[in-house]
Amino acid sequence: KEAEVYNKKLKTLFSLLDKDADRMLSRMEFDAIKEDTALKAWMSALDMEPADLEGLFDVLDTGDGMVSVEEFLLGASRIRGQAKSIDMAHLLSSVGRLERAVLDIRSHCVAR
């Protein structure tokens, strides 16, 4: 039940950020959190530190320069809480990107 309530709040925050309503957040849309006091309050209420925003987009983005609602929900729930949590989420995100890159390289080598 608590997770459902938290996800509902995350979806509301996402909708507030998604100015063009395309269900994707650009860096510019995401960076609006830095300027908007109400959005900062939302983040605090969701147990996310506004000071951690610098790396948050990079953690949530899977490499296409946009953050989907699904990426946002999954990533934001991972970084909830202390700054150590965002560091761990950043590491997990980086490892995932590296793993995909290695698999791509491997498939190109095998194809030759």
Side-chain angles (χ1 to χ4, degrees):
K1 179 89 178 168
E2 181 182 333
E4 288 175 27
V5 171
Y6 186 76
N7 273 346
K8 187 174 182 178
K9 290 177 181 178
L10 284 175
K11 287 178 184 177
T12 301
L13 176 60
F14 186 93
S15 295
L16 292 170
L17 291 170
D18 187 18
K19 298 296 183 192
D20 60 6
D22 65 351
R23 298 186 46 88
M24 299 290 286
L25 294 180
S26 66
R27 169 72 76 171
M28 190 164 52
E29 286 174 317
F30 190 83
D31 285 347
I33 295 173
K34 295 177 190 175
E35 309 300 323
D36 191 319
T37 307
L39 291 175
K40 285 182 184 179
W42 261 99
M43 291 212 44
S44 292
L46 293 170
D47 200 19
M48 289 188 247
E49 291 299 317
D52 293 330
L53 292 177
E54 291 304 318
L56 186 57
F57 186 89
D58 295 328
V59 168
L60 300 178
D61 176 25
T62 57
D64 60 0
M66 302 291 281
V67 173
S68 69
V69 67
E70 293 81 15
E71 290 168 344
F72 185 79
L73 293 175
L74 179 63
S77 63
R78 285 184 184 166
I79 62 159
R80 184 179 181 189
Q82 301 175 13
K84 291 178 186 176
S85 297
I86 193 167
D87 294 337
M88 190 60 175
H90 192 16
L91 286 172
L92 289 171
S93 176
S94 295
V95 167
R97 286 187 196 125
L98 286 171
E99 185 177 24
R100 285 190 296 278
V102 168
L103 290 174
D104 285 347
I105 292 168
R106 181 175 177 224
S107 67
H108 289 300
C109 290
V110 171
R112 291 182 180 192

